[in-house]
Amino acid sequence: MSDPRQTQSIFTRGAVDLGALARSNQAAAQRSAQPAAAPSSAFVFDVTETSFQDTVLQRSVTTPVVLDFFVQGSQPHQQFSPLLEKLAADGGGAWLLGRVDIEANPRLAQMFRIQGIPFVVAIVGGQPVDAFNQMLPETHLRQWIDAVLKAAGVEVQRGEDPRLLAADDALMDGDLDTAEQAYRNILADTPADPVAESGLAQVALLRRTSGLDPAAVLAAAQEAADDLPAQLLAADIEVLTGQAEAAYRRLIDLVRRTPGDERETVRKHLVSLFTVAGPDDPAVAKARRALASALF
């Protein structure tokens, strides 16, 4: 996800004057003895109109503050707010979550021009940097928070996705059906996730080579240099046995001497083997350049 300061945001419909509310609240505080809301946990706290200056604006100078606007008892609040609180706890203080009851704090809702919930806004350095007004899946929400942290100059370190770990475990155990479904679920939530794409390609590779004798497959390919299925299967075996670069060379050579639709079949198969390794593999980068040369 890109830096929220550099992308189109809800705030393009007009500037949000946080300072005006802060000045108003300072005056109101002098007329009222009502104390600011106490933090409900180390990283999650309630925000009121009178506490906004201290709990949000001042804190956001050093630590990003994400505001969750809600209505008590609403379905979005019951479903979405617990997820935000969980992520705030996972963040360990890298960012803070402020909860704003819209009905109890109408001036805050008016200031941010809230038309519906959920409404979540990030405050960095005393200014709003990005917001959204829809329920996001956890993966997308984590990406949004990471972008907010990067905008604030906070180094983001993301641990392993437990869903990927479970999918990888199923793959290692040979439970290809479970692994495939797990990778597909991740890709449905996060399209083009490179790790999940690689896992899915590995499942397909294992299915194509299940029960085969590697030596026999390679020998058959040696005897039939122009037999397309034999060459594709030999490349699969080479990748499976740690000879990926040999597999890439085999199929690139086949691309060079194969015409028409069959050439496209070889190219697609080679790309699927690139996916097994992942986009950061230097051997893949080298082979992609060789493939481009062979094609054009």
Side-chain angles (χ1 to χ4, degrees), residues 208-273:
R208 292 196 301 266
T209 57
S210 177
L212 297 179
D213 178 352
V217 169
L218 293 175
Q222 182 69 25
E223 294 297 322
D226 294 321
D227 185 320
L228 215 63
Q231 295 302 317
L232 299 183
L233 201 54
D236 285 345
I237 291 295
E238 286 171 332
V239 168
L240 197 64
T241 56
Q243 305 172 73
E245 292 186 70
Y248 303 157
R249 288 194 299 270
R250 176 188 296 274
L251 296 189
I252 291 168
D253 288 343
L254 194 58
V255 164
R256 289 193 176 100
R257 64 178 191 269
T258 303
D261 292 342
E262 290 186 339
R263 187 189 206 201
E264 179 63 10
T265 298
V266 177
R267 186 196 67 81
K268 288 182 178 178
H269 196 93
L270 177 57
V271 170
S272 77
L273 296 182

